[in-house]
């Protein structure tokens, strides 16, 4: 579904991604783990078209998308929930969700999709007229996910959805991610919480300073000595 | 001055001030919208107002249009000009340092002023009387039909703008881009298009103000945009730049203060008073009257 081939990404003189390759097959949950500054967010931002790779290819559903403007990539069914949520804090919950559906032409299906989002995140429905900036951190994460779902993505990129959430809420978010995947959405998940991520993922990639250093089935990585030491706390 | 004549003068200047202020408000809205979205003080905005006045002038004199069609014509011409200016002058500098864009804006302003002189000569033109000037006298308070026209048009346009920004999808996209450009991109919003749209809306409002001023003062010239442009900028900062109701409030407030100063003291102090107020208010509320008092992220 998505195939990244040997991409190099720079921030000015900083070489953030050094020849990264990875694949995501339709229906999978793939996770990308690694320490702070490894380049996980940069990878997602490049896939979404917010950054342009200097070299390499990104092929999504058979089309080369590297260098396309971000709005066009969203239109192809590839959505991202960015790091730090990036909800529109000055707008209401409802307006945020409407913006998630910005490119949708099939307006007749929006009401149904909204219902599905509210079924997954009942708290959003209770707060639909509330200004998004006044939501709790967990609710903001739900909103960011609901907003991305409103575009009906076939591939959903999630950047640290568990960031700053209490353990119970992290569990809830992960079970919803699983549910979204079972509903037919392919998922590429970036996480600091490697334990949790490996427990729901099919496959994983480990990133270190802009390079993929390990990859394989999530279960194998979770069992590997190297990964346990570096990312799972022993 | 006795109490009753003082009161009379006060109300009279309030009426004059509100109609003048709604002109500032219309121009200030464009400043604030453009600032809100690309953080640019568009110094050419006052010249768009001048351009609008000329478009209205030619629409009434050459095309023989009546007030309303001429107003719409001027707004469309200015909207197109706004889009072209953004496309040619500002968009190539989207990632340039802010100071470079600011200097470009000043360049565009001079180009419009002196380019216009080339085409229409520096001579002031007499704006045709598209509206019969009726003077209403309410127990000594003078309201003329042009003031009513200005107020009605300005209020209508401000209500329409508020509706567009609050309720329509394109308005929501504008707010999204203004809040977080990258997040807006991730929604599938074409940021460049939204910026064009913002320039179009702001320019159309400025053109409306230009036509209204033409109708009110009967005289237009290529440099007419400088002072009102500066004052509308003051109004936008006064209200809190980037905040639409702030621009409306700032505009009306500035108009009223000017009218009061002209009425009670002398119109020579009018402009000085406007800027003095700006300085005083900003000393106490650095983000403007309706602005949130947070330091801007650098
Ligand atoms: N806007 C930027 N300008 C310059 N350098 C940047 C920028 N964003 C990221 N970097 C650098 O690129 C590298 C990768 O950053 P990235 O945000 O992708 O890491 P990450 O793996 O997502 O980290 P974290 O887990 O902390 O979110 C880091 O060295 C970072 O300092
Ligand atoms: Mg990150």
């Amino acid at each position: 579904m998505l195939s990244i081939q040997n991409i190099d990404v720079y921030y000015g003189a900083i070489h953030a991604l050094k020849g990264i390759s990875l694949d995501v097959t339709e229906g999978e949950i793939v996770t990308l783990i690694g320490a702070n500054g490894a380049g996980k967010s940069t990878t997602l931002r490049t896939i979404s078209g917010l950054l342009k790779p200097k070299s390499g290819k990104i092929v999504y559903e058979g089309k080369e998308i590297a260098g396309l403007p971000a709005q066009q990539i969203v239109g192809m069914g590839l959505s991202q929930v960015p790091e730090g949520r990036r909800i529109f804090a000055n707008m209401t919950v409802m307006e945020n969700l409407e913006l998630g559906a910005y490119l949708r032409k099939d307006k007749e299906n929006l009401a149904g999709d909204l219902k599905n989002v509210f079924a997954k995140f009942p708290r959003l429905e209770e707060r639909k007229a509330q200004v998004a900036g006044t939501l709790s951190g967990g609710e903001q994460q739900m909103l960011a996910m609901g907003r991305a779902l409103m575009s009906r993505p076939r591939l959903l990129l999630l950047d640290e959805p568990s960031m700053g959430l209490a353990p119970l809420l992290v569990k809830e978010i992960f079970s919803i991610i699983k549910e979204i995947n079972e509903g037919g959405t392919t998922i590429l998940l970036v996480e600091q919480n490697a334990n949790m991520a490996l427990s729901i993922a099919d496959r994983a990639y480990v990133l270190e300073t802009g390079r993929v250093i390990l990859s394989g089935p999530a279960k194998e990585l979770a069992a590997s000595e190297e990964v346990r030491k570096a990312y799972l706390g022993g | 001055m006795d109490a009753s004549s003082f009161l009379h003068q006060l109300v009279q200047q309030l009426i004059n001030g509100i109609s003048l202020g709604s002109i500032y408000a219309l121009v200030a809205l464009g400043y604030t919208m453009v600032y809100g979205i690309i953080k640019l003080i568009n110094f050419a905005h006052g010249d768009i107002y001048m351009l609008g006045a000329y478009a209205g002038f030619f629409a009434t004199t050459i095309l023989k249009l009546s007030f309303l069609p001429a107003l719409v014509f001027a707004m469309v011409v200015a909207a197109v000009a706004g889009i072209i200016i953004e496309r040619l002058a500002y968009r190539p500098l989207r990632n340039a340092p802010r100071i470079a864009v600011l200097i470009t804006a000043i360049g565009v302003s001079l180009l419009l002023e002196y380019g216009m002189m080339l085409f229409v000569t520096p001579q002031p033109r007499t704006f045709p009387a598209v509206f019969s000037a009726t003077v209403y006298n309410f127990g000594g308070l003078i309201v003329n039909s042009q003031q009513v026209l200005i107020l009605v048009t300005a209020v209508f346009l401000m209500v329409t703008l508020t509706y567009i920004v609050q309720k329509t999808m394109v308005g929501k996209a504008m707010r999204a881009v203004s809040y977080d450009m990258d997040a807006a991109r991730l929604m599938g919003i074409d940021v460049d298009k939204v910026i064009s749209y913002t320039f179009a809306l702001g320019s159309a409002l400025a053109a409306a103000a230009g036509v209204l001023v033409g109708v009110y003062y009967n005289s237009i010239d290529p440099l007419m945009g400088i002072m009102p442009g500066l004052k509308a900028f003051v109004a936008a900062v006064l209200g809190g730049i980037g905040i639409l109701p702030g621009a409306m409030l700032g505009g009306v407030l500035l108009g009223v203060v000017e009218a009061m100063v002209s009425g009670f003291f002398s119109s020579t102090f009018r402009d000085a008073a406007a800027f003095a107020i700006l300085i005083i208010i900003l000393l106490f509320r650095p983000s403007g009257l309706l602005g949130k008092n947070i330091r801007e992220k650098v």
Side-chain angles (χ1 to χ4, degrees):
Chain A
M1 181 174 219
L2 177 75
S3 168
I4 299 179
Q5 296 152 21
N6 215 12
I7 55 167
D8 281 274
V9 177
Y10 292 79
Y11 292 102
I14 299 169
H15 196 175
L17 300 185
K18 302 164 185 158
I20 283 189
S21 299
L22 63 85
D23 288 282
V24 180
T25 309
E26 193 165 346
E28 280 188 307
I29 298 182
V30 174
T31 186
L32 201 56
I33 56 180
N36 290 114
K40 308 178 296 292
S41 299
T42 304
T43 306
L44 295 197
R45 290 166 57 80
T46 309
I47 298 170
S48 282
L50 294 175
L51 296 170
K52 293 192 194 339
K54 199 153 214 172
S55 59
K57 275 188 170 177
I58 304 176
V59 180
Y60 169 70
E61 294 184 332
K63 284 176 281 265
E64 165 76 82
I65 59 167
L68 287 186
Q71 70 267 17
Q72 210 167 319
I73 294 173
V74 181
M76 296 164 83
L78 198 169
S79 252
Q80 182 184 163
V81 179
E83 184 171 10
R85 290 124 201 181
R86 308 283 284 265
I87 54 160
F88 301 109
N90 56 344
M91 291 193 228
T92 65
V93 167
M94 199 61 190
E95 286 174 329
N96 270 271
L97 294 172
E98 285 169 14
L99 283 165
Y102 186 76
L103 287 181
R104 292 277 300 275
K105 301 240 157 48
D106 53 331
K107 300 289 178 207
E108 66 280 3
N109 298 326
L110 287 186
D113 288 1
L114 195 62
K115 244 181 153 167
N116 289 339
V117 166
F118 286 152
K120 280 193 182 65
F121 307 107
R123 268 191 268 178
L124 293 184
E125 182 161 28
E126 293 161 23
R127 290 166 168 72
K128 60 185 173 195
Q130 192 171 324
V131 175
T134 62
L135 296 175
S136 75
E139 289 158 357
Q140 292 192 7
Q141 184 59 47
M142 293 175 189
L143 178 57
M145 288 170 69
R147 185 179 67 173
L149 289 176
M150 288 303 290
S151 70
R152 278 206 179 172
R154 293 189 291 281
L155 174 60
L156 182 62
L157 314 180
L158 293 160
D159 198 343
E160 299 200 27
S162 74
M163 191 204 268
L165 304 186
L168 211 63
L169 207 56
V170 173
K171 264 207 165 127
E172 192 182 330
I173 294 282
F174 272 82
S175 84
I176 292 170
I177 293 173
K178 192 95 187 133
E179 195 181 301
I180 293 169
N181 176 250
E182 280 155 7
T185 308
T186 309
I187 285 172
L188 178 57
L189 168 68
V190 161
E191 259 303 332
Q192 287 284 338
N193 192 335
N195 249 326
M196 275 298 234
L198 289 173
S199 75
I200 66 161
D202 299 300
R203 290 187 306 113
Y205 290 84
V206 180
L207 234 58
E208 202 176 280
T209 55
R211 288 196 175 85
V212 173
I213 54 158
L214 274 174
S215 64
K219 283 203 183 63
E220 279 177 28
L221 286 188
S224 111
E225 196 61 25
E226 213 179 333
V227 174
R228 297 189 67 84
K229 271 217 182 92
Y231 305 105
L232 303 178
Chain B
M1 200 185 297
D2 65 55
S4 96
S5 79
F6 174 81
L7 201 67
H8 176 262
Q9 174 78 323
L10 193 75
V11 177
Q12 181 66 56
Q13 293 311 334
L14 199 63
I15 294 169
N16 297 350
I18 288 173
S19 77
L20 176 67
S22 53
I23 303 258
Y24 291 150
L26 285 178
V27 184
L29 281 167
Y31 269 112
T32 231
M33 285 163 76
V34 165
Y35 182 86
I37 214 149
I38 56 171
K39 302 287 173 279
L40 163 71
I41 306 294
N42 180 18
F43 275 114
H45 191 58
D47 303 298
I48 293 283
Y49 152 96
M50 174 273 294
L51 199 71
Y54 272 95
F57 171 80
F58 288 118
T60 44
T61 52
I62 297 178
L63 303 176
K64 304 272 182 258
L65 299 181
S66 61
F67 171 73
L68 216 51
L71 182 74
V72 173
F73 176 82
M75 289 173 74
V76 171
V77 167
V80 172
I83 291 172
I84 293 173
I85 290 168
E86 189 277 325
R87 185 83 230 337
L88 296 182
Y90 304 144
R91 193 176 298 179
L93 299 174
R94 192 62 50 78
N95 297 314
R98 268 204 237 170
I99 189 78
V101 196
L102 200 67
I103 289 168
T104 306
I106 293 171
V108 171
S109 167
L110 292 171
L111 181 75
L112 287 175
E113 285 161 16
Y114 293 92
M116 202 63 181
M117 275 191 196
L118 196 66
F119 288 114
V120 303
T121 77
Q123 253 67 56
R125 306 273 180 133
T126 309
F127 208 91
V130 283
F131 251 78
S132 53
T134 320
V135 175
Y136 307 101
N137 190 329
F138 302 101
L141 289 175
I142 310 294
V143 183
N144 64 40
S145 54
Q146 284 130 336
Q147 285 176 320
V148 177
L149 179 74
I150 289 176
L151 205 63
V152 170
T153 311
V155 168
F156 172 78
L157 290 175
M158 287 190 246
V159 169
T160 308
L161 177 76
T162 306
Y163 175 81
I164 291 175
V165 171
Q166 292 300 324
K167 298 290 177 208
T168 67
M169 216 48 217
V170 81
K172 287 170 194 172
M174 284 168 67
R175 284 187 283 148
V177 171
S178 145
Y179 188 78
D180 184 337
M181 218 177 254
D182 272 350
R185 286 198 175 95
L186 289 177
M187 301 299 106
I189 294 170
D190 185 336
V191 168
D192 283 333
K193 246 193 213 152
V194 170
I195 292 172
S196 290
Y197 198 80
T198 307
F199 270 85
L201 274 181
S203 303
L205 292 179
V211 173
L212 290 173
V213 158
V215 171
Y216 193 50
Y217 293 110
N218 296 339
S219 168
I220 61 174
D221 70 89
L223 299 183
M224 67 183 275
I226 298 174
M227 205 54 187
L230 213 52
K231 286 190 189 157
F233 168 61
V234 168
V237 174
L238 209 60
I241 191 131
I243 302 163
L244 297 189
M248 301 181 199
L249 176 70
V252 172
L253 203 66
L254 195 66
V256 169
V257 168
E258 282 193 11
M260 293 295 171
V261 172
S262 317
F264 286 103
F265 302 98
S266 147
S267 56
T268 24
F269 297 129
R270 198 182 60 182
D271 297 345
F275 293 99
I277 289 205
L278 172 77
I279 292 166
I280 292 166
I281 291 193
L282 291 188
L283 276 179
F284 292 99
R285 290 196 63 94
S287 332
L289 291 171
L290 301 186
K292 306 216 170 39
N293 265 320
I294 35 166
R295 274 172 207 281
E296 205 182 321
K297 289 177 285 185
V298 201

